[in-house]
Amino acid sequence: MNILILHRIPYRTAEYHRGIDHSRHEVTYFGTEAALATVPAGLRCRKVACHGTASVDEEARAWLGEPPAGVDRVIALAENDRLAAARLREWLGVAGPSAEQVMAARNKIGMKRAVAQAGLKVPRFLPLPDFLALRDAPPWRGKTILKPQSGAASEDVAVFDSTVATRAAVLGFCSGIPRLDALQAADACGEFEVEEYLDGPVLHFDGVAVGGRIVALTASRYLNTCLDYARGRPLGSMHIPLTDPVRRWVARVLESLALHDGCFHLEAIDHQGELAFIEIDNPVDVAQAVTTFELATGVHLPSVELKLMLGEDPGPALRRPPEAGAEPRWHGWFAVPGHHLGRTVHAGLGGIAMFRRSEAVLRWHELPAGAPLPERVSYQTQEVPLAGIVATAGPPQTQAWIESLFTALRWIPAPTVAASAAEDIDHELHAQA
């Protein structure tokens, strides 16, 4: 087949060669020069650079020309490119999810409605226009989340102490969300929802479904939250034991959403001992999640996703290598953001020397002092000030290690660059995996 890949995430995150036989297929990577630079030099493929000045599907159309021909599949693993890939598929007339299907799969209101109809707990919610139009009080009064119906990385999300405060912030154009606070806010209201805030640990379940059956699954708990991360706090995640009731709950969620084939990242809140569904997404563009899942299960998520996209048997990608007989290890990952600092250049981190040398560390990437910081929320290992993966003898030890790191780390003031932070440390200690 002729395969067009809208290439945005670093190649090392997806390792496309593990899911696509480049000697059998004709593969074209379409992306910016920076993205294409991550594709291995010796890989049999074509690289086509776009300017990034228009949407990626518009630039791809211009490159393909009229009438387009010779493309059998259009693939995008990055969240930001999935809708563009769907529009290209429709234009080219090739197989794959349509724009309507992609939009429906990203719509948080649609997700919660479907899960609630299956009898599972969800936070109470309303589309923002319906919330503003209510004459009577909404079905809850307390803490409230305002967020896009379709979005990622907790961007454009705000939390208020009550529904009254939420209404006042939106109507007063002071929500803190630029799209809503602009003069054209009325046009943006339909893109947002309000949701009841539920207290409790935020969990996520990553896995693979094939033919309606869950064939690989892990359970994890966040340390801090994705919203905390968007606001500048470090984020961690650690694997926790799976129970049979949780497995059944995940299966019921997938069934309610008609998700029968593919990789998934399912988020929930453990609210007073009951799981409440939050949202579901695809986990294949977050490097740390991909790696820890493979360490725990032997399954490389992007490879499975790519096989399914190509209509090929994912079976080989799901066969776990034999266990070495060692004691099981419990994995976790961490990321320290830099988008919130208001700086263009990283000055370095202090307080972390002992953690660099820890035997628990499997992977450690520290951004060198003087490197550029991301302007927007990013989880990409090569863009954030610090990211890594650890393994310990149990979840409590993993939690303690990550939380100790978060407590110890400190930002070096912008005018000063410490020599100890001037190196780019990117160790992959596979012997400890």
Side-chain angles (χ1 to χ4, degrees), residues 7 29-34 36 48-56 59-60 63:
H7 179 53
Y29 291 87
F30 188 84
T32 63
E33 293 282 5
L36 294 177
V48 177
C50 65
H51 301 293
T53 54
S55 66
V56 66
E59 293 205 38
W63 168 68

Side-chain angles (χ1 to χ4, degrees), residues 118-367:
L120 300 173
K121 182 179 180 63
V122 302
R124 289 174 287 185
F125 64 94
L126 284 168
L128 181 56
D130 294 358
F131 172 77
L132 296 175
L134 275 178
R135 294 187 178 181
D136 299 324
W140 74 96
R141 297 292 185 90
K143 218 168 173 182
T144 300
I145 302 173
L146 172 64
K147 62 184 179 181
Q149 292 189 33
S150 298
S154 293
E155 289 191 287
D156 288 345
V157 176
V159 180
F160 300 93
D161 289 335
S162 67
T163 53
V164 172
T166 306
R167 178 188 295 272
V170 174
L171 295 179
F173 302 99
C174 57
S175 69
I177 300 172
R179 279 193 287 163
L180 284 177
D181 296 342
L183 293 177
Q184 298 82 14
D187 298 330
C189 276
E191 303 173 18
F192 284 78
E193 65 159 321
V194 291
E195 179 180 287
E196 173 189 23
Y197 181 95
L198 297 180
D199 288 309
V202 182
L203 310 179
H204 62 95
F205 308 99
D206 299 285
V208 180
V210 177
R213 185 172 67 91
I214 298 174
V215 296
L217 182 65
T218 60
S220 303
R221 182 159 76 86
Y222 281 123
L223 304 173
N224 294 335
T225 68
C226 296
L227 180 55
D228 291 330
Y229 186 84
R231 293 175 171 178
R233 296 183 65 190
L235 178 67
S237 170
M238 64 179 194
H239 286 157
I240 58 176
L242 265 170
T243 64
D244 287 338
V246 166
R247 290 179 186 273
R248 291 192 291 269
W249 182 85
V250 172
R252 289 182 64 190
V253 170
L254 298 186
E255 183 60 33
S256 72
L257 297 170
L259 201 166
H260 301 131
D261 295 279
C263 303
F264 59 88
H265 172 81
L266 168 56
E267 295 192 353
I269 291 178
D270 184 353
H271 180 63
Q272 299 176 353
E274 183 179 8
L275 289 178
F277 171 86
I278 301 300
E279 62 182 74
I280 196 166
D281 193 13
N282 192 304
V284 297
D285 60 352
V286 177
Q288 297 97 318
V290 168
T291 303
T292 51
F293 189 87
E294 184 172 12
L295 288 169
T297 68
V299 175
H300 183 242
L301 291 170
S303 294
V304 175
E305 191 77 2
L306 291 167
K307 292 290 185 188
L308 291 170
M309 287 179 175
L310 298 181
E312 298 178 352
D313 177 17
L318 294 169
R319 296 190 187 114
R320 181 170 184 164
E323 293 288 345
E327 289 292 321
R329 306 191 76 193
W330 293 82
H331 302 92
W333 60 262
F334 57 88
V336 177
H339 63 274
H340 63 292
L341 295 173
R343 307 177 191 168
T344 58
V345 174
H346 181 49
L349 290 170
I352 55 176
M354 65 176 290
F355 295 93
R356 290 191 192 108
R357 300 189 295 268
S358 170
E359 293 182 354
V361 173
L362 301 183
R363 298 194 178 186
W364 178 280
H365 184 271
E366 190 175 334
L367 201 65

Side-chain angles (χ1 to χ4, degrees), residues 392-407:
T392 73
Q397 293 94 318
T398 303
Q399 178 175 350
W401 195 99
I402 294 175
E403 289 180 341
S404 295
L405 169 69
F406 291 172
T407 300

